[in-house]
Amino acid sequence: MKISTIVWAAIAALTLSSCAQEAANKTGELNRSAFEAWVSLNKESSWTETELGSWIISLTPGDIKNKPLASVEDNPYLRLEYTVTSLDGTVEETTSEVVSKRIGKYDKRNYYGPMFSYRAYNNTYAGIEEFFAQMGVGGKCRAVVPGWLLTTSRYDTKQKYIDAMSTSTAAKIYDFTVVESVKSTEDWEMDLLKKTMGKEWDKADSLTTGVYYVRDKASDKPDTTFSASAEVYINYICRRIDGTGIDTNIADSAKVFGCSATGKPVLINWGEKATDLTMTSKKNSVIAGFAYGIYHMKPHEKGRVYMTSSAGYGSKGSGSAIPAYCPIYFEIELVDKE
């Protein structure tokens, strides 16, 4: 009696599924065995194990009474200072200027300080969330987080995390401080912008949402109108909101900032509207806040254009110099061609 093709296919599918599950379970168990071996050799009597399998080296809860972090809804964004190291002590990530200097990776244009961590929709690792549940603002934690908890998936038990591993992930040592809880990044950025601009906030022109312009030198040709195909030239300096210079075309300033510059004015290709502006002969796109600032200016005018991240580099930031949700500003002057 012959077994139908459909039945054979079903048997094959079940077999493959079973093998895949077995391989995944084996990966998790091997990962656990390796981690437990490391712990047995390195842990100290003061360490405590969490329900999901991390080991807390030290933990200062912070203001858990008045500013608890357990609710993601009430604390969707946290600003953290942290250092992440591998089990052999190699620093893999850090927000610390001191640590960066110690390991020879310091760059004066880089941002050092609290970074945003977005918690909603399981954006943070399960192992880190487990610590937040028992901390408040100002809390500090140093802990060893196993590979099975370095995932944004969520399960009920330690064993389920282990069983879900399909690839081996090395454990990490996390050392972090919760500096601040932020409900709205937009409100947080606006407060920072107003504080930085001070008295100039009241005289700034609002160009579009999140973009504000302060004129430092009036144009000597205020009635000039640029055609949509016009080419204009600028000198500029880009600064993080803390005043750190991070980019410029001006040679002397570039030496101070630690970046490169041609020393020549930069070509800006005009357009029908601000968002049409492009930069250089390659017509590279520019961020919205920068474009609105230039579009607002006339020949030989000097000014500063401040912007929230919504008109800048948003929730991702730009490289190591501009972190997520960071307001920035440009000092701009419209100049004659070279």
Side-chain angles (χ1 to χ4, degrees):
M1 184 176 181
K2 295 182 179 180
I3 301 176
S4 71
T5 303
I6 295 175
V7 174
W8 277 119
I11 293 172
L14 287 171
T15 302
L16 289 173
S17 176
S18 176
C19 290
Q21 185 61 46
E22 183 180 348
N25 290 345
K26 187 176 182 180
T27 297
E29 290 303 328
L30 288 173
N31 197 275
R32 174 163 66 176
S33 296
F35 180 68
E36 289 179 346
W38 182 91
V39 170
S40 67
L41 290 172
N42 292 277
K43 82 177 181 70
E44 299 179 8
S45 59
S46 59
W47 292 18
T48 57
E49 187 177 13
T50 69
E51 183 179 348
L52 297 178
S54 290
W55 284 89
I56 297 175
I57 299 172
S58 62
L59 189 147
T60 304
D63 192 358
I64 197 168
K65 179 179 180 181
N66 300 305
K67 298 179 180 179
L69 304 177
S71 169
V72 175
E73 183 179 350
D74 294 336
N75 305 274
Y77 298 90
L78 299 179
R79 297 186 71 228
L80 309 176
E81 291 180 341
Y82 61 83
T83 296
V84 182
T85 60
S86 60
L87 295 184
D88 65 6
T90 302
V91 176
E92 298 185 354
E93 295 180 60
T94 186
T95 64
S96 169
E97 181 176 332
V98 173
V99 173
S100 294
K101 287 180 177 178
R102 176 166 58 80
I103 63 176
K105 293 186 177 181
Y106 173 74
D107 184 328
K108 61 183 177 181
R109 286 188 301 160
N110 285 358
Y111 170 78
Y112 300 100
M115 300 281 279
F116 272 97
S117 175
Y118 181 51
R119 301 173 68 195
Y121 305 109
N122 297 342
N123 270 264
T124 55
Y125 285 148
I128 305 303
E129 275 295 338
E130 189 181 20
F131 302 134
F132 290 158
Q134 50 189 313
M135 295 174 70
V137 173
K140 298 181 180 182
C141 182
R142 178 173 171 80
V144 188
V145 182
W148 61 81
L149 293 181
L150 297 178
T151 175
T152 56
S153 298
R154 297 290 188 268
Y155 303 100
D156 296 332
T157 66
K158 171 182 173 180
Q159 190 60 50
K160 287 182 179 179
Y161 277 102
I162 294 171
D163 291 343
M165 293 191 78
S166 58
T167 56
S168 184
T169 303
K172 309 290 181 187
I173 299 174
Y174 280 78
D175 193 341
F176 67 90
T177 300
V178 182
V179 176
E180 184 180 9
S181 172
V182 175
K183 186 80 171 180
S184 165
T185 56
E186 291 84 359
D187 292 343
W188 181 86
E189 287 190 57
M190 287 301 298
D191 288 342
L192 180 57
L193 210 55
K194 291 177 182 178
K195 182 179 179 181
T196 302
M197 294 177 69
K199 295 180 180 179
E200 291 186 320
W201 173 257
D202 293 329
K203 71 174 185 179
D205 294 329
S206 177
L207 306 186
T208 189
T209 303
V211 181
Y212 306 90
Y213 180 76
V214 177
R215 181 176 292 102
D216 292 318
K217 176 188 171 185
S219 169
D220 55 4
K221 299 178 180 179
D223 297 327
T224 301
T225 300
F226 296 116
S227 67
S229 59
E231 294 181 342
V232 303
Y233 289 82
I234 66 166
N235 288 326
Y236 74 92
I237 291 174
C238 176
R239 296 185 187 273
R240 206 163 50 232
I241 196 64
D242 62 10
T244 302
I246 52 180
D247 186 30
T248 182
N249 70 300
I250 304 169
D252 289 343
S253 296
K255 291 178 182 178
V256 175
F257 302 162
C259 63
S260 59
T262 63
K264 297 180 180 180
V266 175
L267 168 65
I268 298 295
N269 307 290
W270 214 253
E272 293 286 353
K273 56 186 183 299
T275 51
D276 293 334
L277 266 62
T278 59
M279 179 184 283
T280 76
S281 58
K282 295 181 180 180
K283 297 190 175 182
N284 298 323
S285 60
V286 298
I287 57 175
F290 185 56
Y292 274 102
I294 296 171
Y295 203 74
H296 185 71
M297 300 174 71
K298 301 295 183 181
H300 307 147
E301 182 176 338
K302 266 185 170 182
R304 282 164 289 144
V305 56
Y306 293 81
M307 66 201 72
T308 60
S309 66
S310 61
Y313 292 98
S315 61
K316 295 183 178 179
S318 179
S320 300
I322 303 175
Y325 305 108
C326 180
I328 60 175
Y329 66 97
F330 287 85
E331 300 166 12
I332 305 171
E333 180 180 14
L334 263 63
V335 297
D336 296 322
K337 182 179 180 181
E338 305 210 15

